[in-house]
Amino acid sequence: MNNNLNFMFGMYEPTTDSVIVNTGENSVLVIHCKECNSCVIFEEPNDIVYLYRLAEEAPLTYVKLALKKNGLQDYVDAMNELN
Protein backbone atom coordinates (compact mmCIF):
# COMPACT_ATOMS: atom_id res chain seq x y z
CA MET A 1 0.00 0.00 0.00
CA ASN A 2 1.24 3.49 -0.82
CA ASN A 3 2.33 5.16 2.43
CA ASN A 4 2.37 8.55 0.72
CA LEU A 5 -1.40 8.91 0.39
CA ASN A 6 -2.57 12.45 1.01
CA PHE A 7 -5.73 12.22 3.08
CA MET A 8 -7.67 15.41 2.37
CA PHE A 9 -11.01 14.64 4.04
CA GLY A 10 -12.65 11.60 5.57
CA MET A 11 -16.01 10.65 7.02
CA TYR A 12 -17.70 7.62 8.48
CA GLU A 13 -20.73 6.46 6.49
CA PRO A 14 -22.99 4.43 8.82
CA THR A 15 -25.28 3.09 6.09
CA THR A 16 -22.38 1.25 4.46
CA ASP A 17 -20.28 0.87 7.63
CA SER A 18 -17.32 2.43 5.84
CA VAL A 19 -14.92 5.29 6.05
CA ILE A 20 -14.70 7.27 2.84
CA VAL A 21 -11.58 9.35 2.30
CA ASN A 22 -10.78 11.91 -0.34
CA THR A 23 -7.14 11.27 -1.18
CA GLY A 24 -6.72 13.95 -3.80
CA GLU A 25 -8.09 15.15 -7.08
CA ASN A 26 -10.82 12.72 -8.23
CA SER A 27 -9.51 9.99 -5.93
CA VAL A 28 -11.48 8.28 -3.17
CA LEU A 29 -10.51 5.47 -0.81
CA VAL A 30 -13.24 3.36 0.82
CA ILE A 31 -12.40 1.32 3.91
CA HIS A 32 -15.05 -1.22 4.95
CA CYS A 33 -15.02 -1.25 8.75
CA LYS A 34 -16.62 -4.69 9.14
CA GLU A 35 -13.79 -6.28 7.15
CA CYS A 36 -11.04 -4.38 8.96
CA ASN A 37 -12.57 -4.91 12.39
CA SER A 38 -12.92 -8.65 11.77
CA CYS A 39 -9.12 -8.95 11.86
CA VAL A 40 -8.93 -7.61 15.42
CA ILE A 41 -8.98 -9.89 18.47
CA PHE A 42 -10.98 -8.39 21.33
CA GLU A 43 -10.57 -9.22 25.03
CA GLU A 44 -14.29 -8.52 25.42
CA PRO A 45 -16.79 -8.51 22.52
CA ASN A 46 -17.94 -5.01 23.50
CA ASP A 47 -14.41 -3.68 22.89
CA ILE A 48 -15.38 -3.28 19.23
CA VAL A 49 -16.92 0.02 20.32
CA TYR A 50 -13.38 1.45 20.44
CA LEU A 51 -13.09 1.01 16.68
CA TYR A 52 -16.53 2.35 15.86
CA ARG A 53 -15.97 5.45 17.98
CA LEU A 54 -12.63 5.96 16.27
CA ALA A 55 -14.20 5.60 12.81
CA GLU A 56 -16.98 8.05 13.68
CA GLU A 57 -14.95 10.63 15.59
CA ALA A 58 -11.57 10.42 13.83
CA PRO A 59 -12.09 8.74 10.44
CA LEU A 60 -8.68 9.71 9.07
CA THR A 61 -6.95 8.16 12.07
CA TYR A 62 -9.04 5.02 11.64
CA VAL A 63 -7.97 4.74 8.00
CA LYS A 64 -4.30 5.32 8.78
CA LEU A 65 -4.41 2.58 11.44
CA ALA A 66 -6.40 0.24 9.18
CA LEU A 67 -3.72 0.57 6.49
CA LYS A 68 -0.92 -0.09 8.96
CA LYS A 69 -0.01 -3.68 9.86
CA ASN A 70 -1.59 -4.43 13.28
CA GLY A 71 -2.64 -0.79 13.55
CA LEU A 72 -6.21 -1.43 14.66
CA GLN A 73 -5.16 -4.28 16.94
CA ASP A 74 -2.53 -2.09 18.57
CA TYR A 75 -5.13 0.65 19.06
CA VAL A 76 -7.61 -1.71 20.76
CA ASP A 77 -4.85 -3.17 22.93
CA ALA A 78 -3.81 0.35 23.99
CA MET A 79 -7.39 1.30 24.80
CA ASN A 80 -7.70 -1.80 26.97
CA GLU A 81 -4.52 -0.82 28.82
CA LEU A 82 -5.90 2.66 29.48
CA ASN A 83 -9.22 1.34 30.73
Side-chain angles (χ1 to χ4, degrees):
M1 178 55 74
N2 182 354
N3 291 330
N4 297 321
L5 288 175
N6 185 20
F7 297 151
M8 306 290 284
F9 173 79
M11 64 180 228
Y12 176 71
E13 176 53 57
T15 57
T16 60
D17 188 26
S18 358
V19 176
I20 302 167
V21 179
N22 178 338
T23 60
E25 189 175 321
N26 298 320
S27 183
V28 174
L29 174 65
V30 178
I31 300 290
H32 298 283
C33 297
K34 185 176 182 178
E35 291 176 27
C36 292
N37 296 350
S38 70
C39 298
V40 176
I41 299 169
F42 301 100
E43 286 183 25
E44 299 289 331
N46 289 338
D47 289 349
I48 196 166
V49 75
Y50 296 137
L51 296 180
Y52 280 104
R53 285 193 78 191
L54 181 65
E56 292 173 358
E57 296 174 5
L60 295 178
T61 301
Y62 180 93
V63 169
K64 288 178 182 180
L65 290 174
L67 295 176
K68 183 178 178 185
K69 184 176 180 178
N70 297 321
L72 293 176
Q73 183 69 59
D74 291 344
Y75 177 80
V76 170
D77 293 344
M79 292 302 292
N80 279 323
E81 288 292 318
L82 291 174
N83 294 316

